[in-house]
Amino acid sequence: MSVTVVVGAQWGDEGKGKITDFLAADVAVVARAQGGSNAGHTVVFDGQEYKLHLLPSGILRSDVLAIAGAGMVIDPEQLLHELEQLPVERGELLLDERAHVVMPYHKLLDAAEEKAKGSGAAGTTGRGIGPAYGDRATRFGIRVGDLLEPETLRERLARVVPRTQALLAHYGVTERLDEQALFTLASGWGSALVDSIGNASLEIAGRLNQGVLLEGAQGVHIDIDHGIYPFVTSSSPTPAGMAQGAGVAPQRLSRTVGVVKGYTTRVGTGPFPTELQDSTGDYLRQQGNEFGTTTGRPRRCGWLDLVMLEHSQRLCGFSELAFTKLDVMGGLDKIRVCTAYESPQGHLEHFPASMTLLAECTPVYQDFPGWPALSGLEWLAVAESGDLPPSLSTYIAFVCKQLGVPAGLLSLGPERETTLRLR
C-alpha cells in the first residue's frame, strides 16, 4: 500500500472529516500536514459528535496512529483540550518535532492585524495561524521540539518577545508580554506532550506498506499560492503541500480523493459567484447545519461551481471524487450547476486570479431536477443498497463527466454507515 490524500476541492468545510474517518478503516496512519486549529472537522461515531480542530480525524479509530505533521502550526492548549474530549479507546498521537507552536501572542497579533486591514480583512478564525506561519517564515518561530529543550526555548522567546511587543504596539495593543510566564506555559506544554513528540516523517516511512492517509485541512481555493488571495489561509491544502508538510516523497502519493460538497459554501469575505442570498440559500444553510465548526459563523451557501472545481482538478489531479451533503439537497425542486462565467472580459471557463474580475463574474447555469427529501433511515437504506434516486445519479454523472474524474464515495448522511462506496 502507499499514500491516499484527502483534499477539500472547494473553500473548505466540504466534509473531509467524515470522509477521512471512513477511509481510515483501511490504513494504519492518518496524518494532518498543514494548517492548525483554524480547521474544523466533524466526525459522528457511535451516535456521538466530535468536533476536531487539530487532531486528525482518524484518531477515533483505536488501531490508527494519528500524526500532526511538520507543516502544521499547533496550539498545545487547544490540542490538550481536544484530547480530553475523546473516548478512552482512541488512536495513538504523534506530534512532529518540527511543527511550529501557536503562542498566545500570535492570537493577539492575528486580531490586531485583521482589524488594521479593515475591509480587506480575510475573515480569519482569530486562532493565530497566520502570525505563527509568519514567524516560521521569518525564522522567529518556536517548534514543538523546542518545548523539550529549556535553553533553546528561552533563547527563542528572548528573540521573539521584544519583536512581537513592538508589532503589537504598532497596532495599538497595550497588553504586555511576560517572557517568563510564556516560558513557564510552554515548558508545561512540553511536559504534558513529551511522550507524543517525535519524527513523523520517519514513522510514516516505516508504515507505508500498512497504508497512510493524509487529511487535508481547508480547501484548494484558499491555498496560499493558488487560492483567492488575499482571502486565503496560510498554508497549501493541495496534495503537493500535504506531501511536503507530512514529510512524504511526492511519488508515494497513489490516490487523491477530492472531497466535493454537493453545493458550495464559504465563510469570511470575498467574491462568491454562485452565492444564493435567497430562500434556497437559507434552506441549504439550515438543512446542512452550515455554521462554522471553528467559529460558529453562518456559512454563505451557493450552487456547485464547476469553474472552481476545474481549477482544483488541474492543481490536484484527483483520482476520484467523494461527494458530501447530498442528502441535504433533497427536497429542492431544481438543482443548478455553474458551468462557466460571463464577465467584462467575456466568457470564462477557467477560474481567474483577479478578485476584482471574479467579483464581476455572473454564473452560467445548467439546471437539473431535484431529488426527494428522505429520512435518515431512508438514506441509510440507499447507502446499503446503492439504489440512488435517478435525478441524483444524473447529477453525479454530469459533474464527473465535466471534470473527467469518477465518483468514489457518496456521503448520504453524517454517520459512517451512510456512505456509499462506488470504487
Side-chain angles (χ1 to χ4, degrees), residues 26-46:
D26 303 327
V27 301
V29 175
V30 174
R32 279 271 312 271
Q34 43 76 223
S37 58
N38 53 341
H41 293 176
T42 302
V43 178
V44 178
F45 172 57
D46 277 353

Side-chain angles (χ1 to χ4, degrees), residues 55 77-88 90:
L55 293 171
E77 205 72 52
Q78 173 67 34
L79 183 76
L80 291 167
H81 172 72
E82 286 185 34
L83 287 170
E84 290 174 358
Q85 312 305 310
L86 295 183
V88 175
R90 61 168 177 84

Side-chain angles (χ1 to χ4, degrees), residues 68-351:
M72 290 187 68
V73 289
I74 295 172
D75 179 346
E77 205 72 52
Q78 173 67 34
L79 183 76
L80 291 167
H81 172 72
E82 286 185 34
L83 287 170
E84 290 174 358
Q85 312 305 310
L86 295 183
V88 175
E89 289 192 20
R90 61 168 177 84
E92 182 184 353
L93 175 66
L94 175 65
L95 309 177
D96 195 294
E97 58 201 349
R98 293 177 172 85
H100 279 246
V101 178
V102 176
M103 298 293 289
Y105 49 77
H106 289 135
K107 299 173 188 177
L108 292 174
L109 198 54
D110 198 355
E113 289 178 339
E114 279 288 280
K115 182 178 180 181
K117 291 171 187 172
S119 61
T124 74
T125 59
R127 299 293 182 98
I129 307 305
Y133 273 116
D135 275 1
R136 184 182 80 161
T138 53
R139 275 77 78 189
F140 281 97
I142 293 172
R143 302 199 296 180
V144 168
D146 297 338
L147 302 179
L148 307 181
E149 299 180 4
E151 290 309 309
T152 301
L153 181 57
R154 284 193 185 279
E155 290 172 9
R156 299 275 193 270
L157 286 169
R159 280 200 292 269
V160 72
V161 167
R163 171 183 178 270
T164 306
Q165 192 73 72
L167 283 171
L168 289 170
H170 169 75
Y171 290 117
V173 178
T174 58
E175 183 170 338
R176 302 299 301 175
L177 302 180
D178 186 327
E179 191 174 314
Q180 179 57 43
L182 288 168
F183 173 80
T184 301
L185 177 66
S187 296
W189 291 337
S191 298
L193 296 168
V194 60
D195 293 334
S196 298
I197 298 172
N199 187 328
S201 176
L202 194 61
E203 291 296 328
I204 290 172
R207 291 171 166 81
L208 286 173
N209 63 345
Q210 301 173 54
V212 174
L213 189 152
L214 304 185
E215 176 185 9
Q218 294 84 47
V220 173
H221 280 267
I222 54 172
D223 178 272
I224 186 66
D225 295 316
H226 298 283
I228 53 168
Y229 193 88
F231 308 104
V232 293
T233 192
S234 302
S235 61
S236 178
T238 64
M242 283 187 270
Q244 171 75 10
V248 175
Q251 66 264 34
R252 296 290 189 183
L253 308 185
S254 58
R255 180 186 182 191
T256 303
V257 181
V259 184
V260 176
K261 189 181 287 185
Y263 48 98
T264 307
T265 61
R266 67 167 302 185
V267 293
T269 53
F272 185 170
T274 68
E275 184 171 12
L276 290 166
Q277 296 177 309
D278 58 12
S279 60
T280 302
D282 293 339
Y283 179 86
L284 291 171
R285 186 177 302 107
Q286 294 301 322
Q287 293 296 113
N289 192 29
E290 296 294 353
F291 300 89
T293 305
T294 300
T295 64
R297 291 179 295 189
R299 297 179 184 134
R300 300 158 65 189
C301 297
W303 294 119
L304 192 69
D305 188 337
L306 291 182
V307 183
M308 285 183 67
L309 293 177
E310 184 279 330
H311 184 71
S312 301
Q313 161 61 0
R314 182 159 27 90
L315 292 175
C316 300
F318 301 131
S319 54
E320 63 189 84
L321 300 177
F323 288 88
T324 63
K325 296 283 186 97
L326 298 172
D327 54 311
V328 168
M329 302 167 73
L332 294 173
D333 293 332
K334 180 174 68 176
I335 306 290
R336 312 194 84 182
V337 178
C338 172
T339 57
Y341 301 149
E342 294 296 346
S343 79
Q345 294 186 11
H347 187 77
L348 299 180
E349 295 184 355
H350 302 289
F351 202 80

